[in-house]
Amino acid sequence: MAVLCVCFSCLAGTPVTRAEQPETAQTAALDELTENNGHDSGYELVAENRRFALSMNNSTYEVSLSDRETGEVWYSNPQDRAEDPLAFGINQENLSSAFTMVYRDKSRGTIEVINSYAGSVQNREIKVEKEEDGFKIYYKFSSIKCIVPLRYRLEEDGLSCSILTDEIIEAGECSIMSISLLPFFGAGSVKDTGYLMVPDGSGALIYFNNGKHIYEKYSEKVYGRDENFDVTEDNERKQSIRLPVFGIQKNSRALLGIITQGEALASIEASVSGESHSYNQVNANFELRAIDRYMMGVSGNNPRVVTIYEETPISKGELTVKYCPLSGEQSGYSGMALKYRSFLMARHGLQYKPTGQPLCLEALGAVRLKESFLGFLVNRTVPLTRFDELSEMLQELNERGVDSVAVKYTDWNKDKINGRVVDDAAVVGKIGGKSGLNKLLNGLRNQGATLFLDTDYYKVRRWNGLYSKTRTAAKTVANRPVYKYRYSFLDNLKDPNLPASFLIAPKEVERIAERFIKSFNKLGDVQISLGDMTAFVQSDFGIDGWSRQKSADTIQKAVALLSEGRSLMI
């Protein structure tokens, strides 16, 4: 069960007692880990293949990736950082670090930051284990009683670096909240020209040394903000990050970063030179535990902010970023896009379709509206686009020369328009029912059109049958059902007059999809639109402790189930 800690902004901290972890073995591991590499300073070759060579500095434990074809070298840390006129104290230490770490000190009720250089390397508390294609390195932080291991692995097209979460040891009163991995790998200095590529919306470029260091650094979650978290005021009007990728273009060469494991736990961060150091950098930051904040007493004169910390064990596995050097014609953002496309095609079996894209059309089926009947307000189903009307539209498009159309048809399902869990493919009668759907499908064969019926497995307003908010709703960090309000366009605040929804727990999605697909298969030759299923990723802090990454994996399984024998629209 998820155990929580709550603190008020007006108090030093009010921890909730939790069961102590058995620390004997963990403490022993901390005591055993000492620095065992007494080599002279300098880079030593660790692994090599036909294209690349991986080396490690025996004094600072930073790494270099050499391209044997071009002679170019990428370093994990700036090689001229000691000369940086802006970096002092902890900022200079950060430049020498493989990662920075945010942790919570439960004994003091504070959130702190520590880096691998000052917390481990300077104290010579390092252990390196050589492997066939790289090495593992264990960073011991005696001051907070924890060990964090990384793995560097040389690959045919670059280098992968992983945080090995199943080998992390936390033996004291400190809990790791997040780790910012290789923040200065490939960073560009004030002497360099180039840009940072971030996947904001359709993609964006942040040019080196642009003088905008006075603004807040770029930091956005992969797959968008977690819908589980409470948002009192919704001021965001932006597109979410859909691709776990980033890049650096520096002096006519490029480095592409692809988050290959744990991407749903990651944020992409970027900043330019001028504030605390003289470098332009972009990297991935992984959230291991969540923090949420609630506003209490909003309607009163003395509102308080409640901060709640996730206290569940760290999810096991690897958090990995793959770094791919690019040169020549591929050294720009177009080359980064081509490389990422080839990666997706190889990993997921995707196929490239350069031509023949259809016209995409969206039609709304029906809505439920309140109307007056004999002096009483009643809910009635009002059709917006009937099946016969859609058929007429497609016929007219076909006569005008449009011979390929993909139709997304929403609000056709009885459960959906009534706000219930969508586990049945019952068609709304007012738009034509199943017979009207069959007539439409028969006509589509001659109109060059494909019908995608939209569905939604994540939001529900009314519980029915097998489902309830206790069993089926996702839970907040405070272990309460997640209730999502809609926001007013006037003041961006929650609007209690607009319909709100519960979020369905990610663990329930695959089970609901299995029930739905059995009913959906009876509708005939019709395809599926995934609705909000791939629009966001959420956590669930209920008894089972469902992380964003586990949620993303569940979505993949559900998508695979729904795609059997049919096409999908995302």
Side-chain angles (χ1 to χ4, degrees):
M1 178 181 294
V3 185
L4 312 175
C5 179
V6 182
C7 81
F8 292 87
S9 60
C10 54
L11 302 176
T14 309
V16 174
T17 303
R18 69 184 183 94
E20 293 294 329
Q21 297 179 358
E23 296 183 354
T24 303
Q26 296 174 329
T27 304
L30 281 168
D31 293 338
E32 291 175 3
L33 184 57
T34 57
E35 195 276 323
N36 65 348
N37 292 275
H39 303 292
D40 295 332
S41 62
Y43 284 92
E44 176 186 357
L45 180 66
V46 178
E48 60 183 336
N49 56 30
R50 180 188 60 81
R51 173 77 184 275
F52 297 105
L54 172 64
S55 299
M56 180 188 69
N57 188 298
N58 289 313
S59 176
T60 62
Y61 303 98
E62 56 198 284
V63 301
S64 68
L65 179 64
S66 302
D67 189 329
R68 304 173 75 174
E69 290 185 359
T70 65
E72 298 171 346
V73 182
W74 293 92
Y75 292 97
S76 61
N77 303 82
Q79 297 300 285
D80 58 352
R81 58 187 180 272
E83 304 168 7
D84 188 345
L86 298 178
F88 298 97
I90 190 172
N91 294 320
Q92 180 64 233
E93 294 168 354
N94 289 341
L95 293 174
S96 300
S97 298
F99 60 90
T100 58
M101 183 166 63
V102 176
Y103 67 93
R104 177 172 171 265
D105 188 331
K106 295 184 284 293
S107 64
R108 299 169 59 187
T110 58
I111 296 294
E112 309 287 349
V113 180
I114 194 170
N115 59 62
S116 61
Y117 181 76
S120 182
V121 173
Q122 255 188 346
N123 301 324
R124 314 305 295 172
E125 295 182 314
I126 295 290
K127 180 179 178 181
V128 176
E129 293 181 356
K130 297 291 182 67
E131 298 182 336
E132 181 179 356
D133 51 2
F135 63 95
K136 287 167 63 176
I137 180 168
Y138 294 84
Y139 295 86
K140 175 183 175 182
F141 296 82
S142 293
S143 62
I144 60 173
K145 294 184 179 180
C146 79
I147 295 175
V148 177
L150 301 185
R151 170 183 279 134
Y152 292 93
R153 177 175 290 163
L154 192 64
E155 301 182 351
E156 289 300 316
D157 55 351
L159 172 69
S160 284
C161 181
S162 302
I163 303 168
L164 308 179
T165 60
D166 54 344
E167 296 186 45
I168 288 178
I169 293 176
E170 298 172 304
E173 287 297 309
C174 295
S175 297
I176 301 172
M177 308 304 291
S178 65
I179 296 177
S180 183
L181 183 63
L182 294 179
F184 294 97
F185 196 178
S189 71
V190 292
K191 301 175 184 178
D192 297 314
T193 59
Y195 53 78
L196 312 172
M197 187 278 290
V198 293
D200 193 280
S202 60
L205 304 179
I206 304 172
Y207 285 91
F208 286 5
N209 314 312
N210 60 19
K212 297 183 179 181
H213 57 273
I214 59 175
Y215 299 107
E216 186 176 357
K217 70 181 294 184
Y218 178 88
S219 180
E220 293 293 336
K221 285 182 176 293
V222 175
Y223 305 142
R225 73 185 183 197
D226 196 325
E227 290 295 312
N228 188 302
F229 293 151
D230 185 67
V231 179
T232 302
E233 187 174 357
D234 186 13
N235 293 314
E236 292 188 357
R237 295 292 181 270
K238 55 188 176 184
Q239 294 179 313
S240 299
I241 288 179
R242 301 299 184 193
L243 303 176
V245 63
F246 57 89
I248 299 175
Q249 200 272 358
K250 182 171 71 173
N251 302 335
S252 300
R253 59 188 180 126
L255 184 69
L256 179 66
I258 304 172
I259 307 172
T260 59
Q261 292 178 281
E263 66 279 3
L265 303 177
S267 295
I268 293 176
E269 300 181 334
S271 64
V272 296
S273 64
E275 183 180 9
S276 58
H277 54 74
S278 301
Y279 299 94
N280 308 271
Q281 59 80 219
V282 61
N283 72 295
N285 183 14
F286 294 94
E287 181 181 79
L288 277 64
R289 292 186 175 94
I291 302 175
D292 200 3
R293 293 175 175 85
Y294 295 87
M295 184 75 73
M296 296 186 65
V298 177
S299 59
N301 296 323
N302 188 28
R304 294 182 297 174
V305 176
V306 182
T307 302
I308 302 179
Y309 302 94
E310 181 185 1
E311 287 286 355
T312 54
I314 296 173
S315 298
K316 303 301 182 182
E318 296 187 11
L319 308 174
T320 304
V321 180
K322 177 187 181 75
Y323 299 91
C324 303
L326 305 172
S327 58
E329 295 181 355
Q330 286 195 334
S331 62
Y333 60 84
S334 296
M336 296 180 196
L338 290 172
K339 175 62 180 178
Y340 187 56
R341 184 179 68 184
S342 65
F343 167 81
L344 291 176
M345 293 173 68
R347 187 176 191 182
H348 300 289
L350 303 181
Q351 297 181 350
Y352 176 53
K353 296 182 179 181
T355 58
Q357 300 301 319
L359 169 68
C360 293
L361 177 68
E362 180 172 348
L364 280 65
V367 293
R368 295 280 285 174
L369 296 178
K370 288 186 177 181
E371 295 182 351
S372 178
F373 178 73
L374 299 177
F376 297 94
L377 282 178
V378 296
N379 289 315
R380 288 191 173 181
T381 300
V382 179
L384 301 178
T385 309
R386 300 191 309 271
F387 288 133
D388 59 341
E389 293 173 327
L390 178 59
S391 180
E392 292 174 4
M393 284 189 271
L394 294 174
Q395 181 62 37
E396 183 174 348
L397 286 172
N398 185 260
E399 293 172 355
R400 291 173 178 265
V402 180
D403 57 3
S404 180
V405 182
V407 182
K408 176 182 178 181
Y409 194 78
T410 66
D411 301 311
W412 60 274
N413 181 276
K414 288 183 180 179
D415 286 335
K416 175 68 183 299
I417 68 170
N418 284 289
R420 298 190 295 257
V421 175
V422 183
D423 65 351
D424 183 75
V427 183
V428 175
K430 289 290 185 70
I431 59 176
K434 188 175 180 179
S435 61
L437 175 61
N438 289 333
K439 291 180 181 179
L440 173 63
L441 294 175
N442 290 332
L444 292 181
R445 298 187 180 93
N446 300 320
Q447 296 168 343
T450 304
L451 182 64
F452 295 84
L453 295 182
D454 192 65
T455 187
D456 185 357
Y457 303 107
Y458 266 108
K459 295 179 182 178
V460 58
R461 297 195 307 274
R462 298 168 55 195
W463 300 105
N464 60 295
L466 301 173
Y467 312 102
S468 70
K469 68 178 181 180
T470 303
R471 299 191 307 267
T472 315
K475 301 301 190 297
T476 66
V477 182
N479 202 31
R480 298 182 300 189
V482 181
Y483 199 53
K484 299 303 294 183
Y485 288 92
R486 295 168 68 178
Y487 294 84
S488 169
F489 283 103
L490 297 177
D491 55 14
N492 297 321
L493 297 176
K494 296 175 183 176
D495 191 336
N497 297 316
L498 295 175
S501 304
F502 290 95
L503 285 188
I504 296 175
K507 66 179 181 179
E508 299 290 335
V509 170
E510 190 174 3
R511 181 165 65 97
I512 294 171
E514 287 176 352
R515 289 199 181 102
F516 174 80
I517 204 65
K518 291 178 181 178
S519 176
F520 188 85
N521 286 334
K522 301 175 183 178
L523 296 182
D525 186 20
V526 62
Q527 314 307 319
I528 293 179
S529 167
L530 296 177
D532 286 339
M533 178 179 284
T534 57
F536 63 87
V537 177
Q538 69 183 62
S539 303
D540 181 9
F541 301 102
I543 294 177
D544 296 326
W546 219 262
S547 70
R548 276 170 60 94
Q549 188 58 50
K550 201 170 182 179
S551 178
D553 295 340
T554 300
I555 291 172
Q556 290 185 8
K557 293 178 182 178
V559 168
L561 173 68
L562 296 173
S563 65
E564 292 180 4
R566 64 178 56 81
S567 298
L568 299 179
M569 176 181 286
I570 298 177

